[in-house]
């Protein structure tokens, strides 16, 4: 399933649902991210998650490859996943300019 054209843009905040694989250290857990193909380790100091539990990872979109249907999300490191595994949290809105870039002619 390919993503619809324009459904994600660079700068959008997106969420990925990952599954906990195991606890690596006291404050880190290994998670499995759908369509990523490699284990990923995240910091988890606040809660005690268990094996098999689903956890939501939130990051910003840094690259969109519409032909391949993949996007790159910054989760501390860049993670390339299929676009249909993501959920949009907030759209990126560029900042509004208060003053024009060009000075007025004198």
């Amino acid at each position: 399933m390919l993503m619809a054209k324009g459904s994600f843009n660079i700068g959008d905040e997106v969420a990925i649902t990952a599954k906990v694989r195991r606890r690596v250290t006291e404050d880190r857990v290994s998670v499995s991210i759908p369509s990523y193909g490699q284990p990923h380790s995240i910091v988890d100091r606040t809660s005690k998650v268990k094996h098999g539990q689903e956890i939501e990872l939130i990051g910003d979109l840094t690259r969109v490859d519409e032909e391949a249907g993949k996007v790159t999300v910054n989760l501390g490191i860049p993670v390339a996943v299929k676009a249909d595994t993501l959920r949009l949290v907030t759209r990126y809105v560029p900042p509004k300019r208060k003053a024009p870039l060009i000075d007025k002619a004198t």
Side-chain angles (χ1 to χ4, degrees):
M1 175 173 142
L2 288 176
M3 63 187 221
K5 185 172 174 66
S7 61
F8 293 114
N9 293 315
I10 294 175
D12 289 349
E13 189 176 47
V14 294
I16 302 173
T17 302
K19 196 171 272 194
V20 176
R21 298 178 66 219
R22 65 185 171 94
R23 184 160 291 281
V24 179
T25 63
E26 184 66 30
D27 63 341
R28 293 191 81 79
V29 291
S30 177
V31 295
S32 174
I33 299 173
S35 76
Y36 183 49
Q38 298 177 11
H40 181 69
S41 175
I42 61 169
V43 175
D44 178 51
R45 292 186 202 125
T46 58
S47 65
K48 299 295 179 186
V49 294
K50 298 194 184 335
H51 172 73
Q53 182 178 347
E54 290 187 343
I55 190 167
E56 195 169 73
L57 305 175
I58 297 177
D60 294 328
L61 228 57
T62 57
R63 183 171 181 266
V64 177
D65 185 1
E66 291 188 14
E67 293 175 7
K70 289 200 166 204
V71 295
T72 303
V73 181
N74 184 9
L75 298 173
I77 63 163
V79 175
V81 295
K82 290 183 181 175
D84 58 358
T85 62
L86 299 178
R87 181 179 61 83
L88 182 65
V89 176
T90 48
R91 288 227 177 261
Y92 173 73
V93 179
K96 305 284 189 251
R97 293 200 185 275
K98 294 181 180 172
L101 284 174
I102 307 171
D103 292 334
K104 292 184 179 178
T106 55

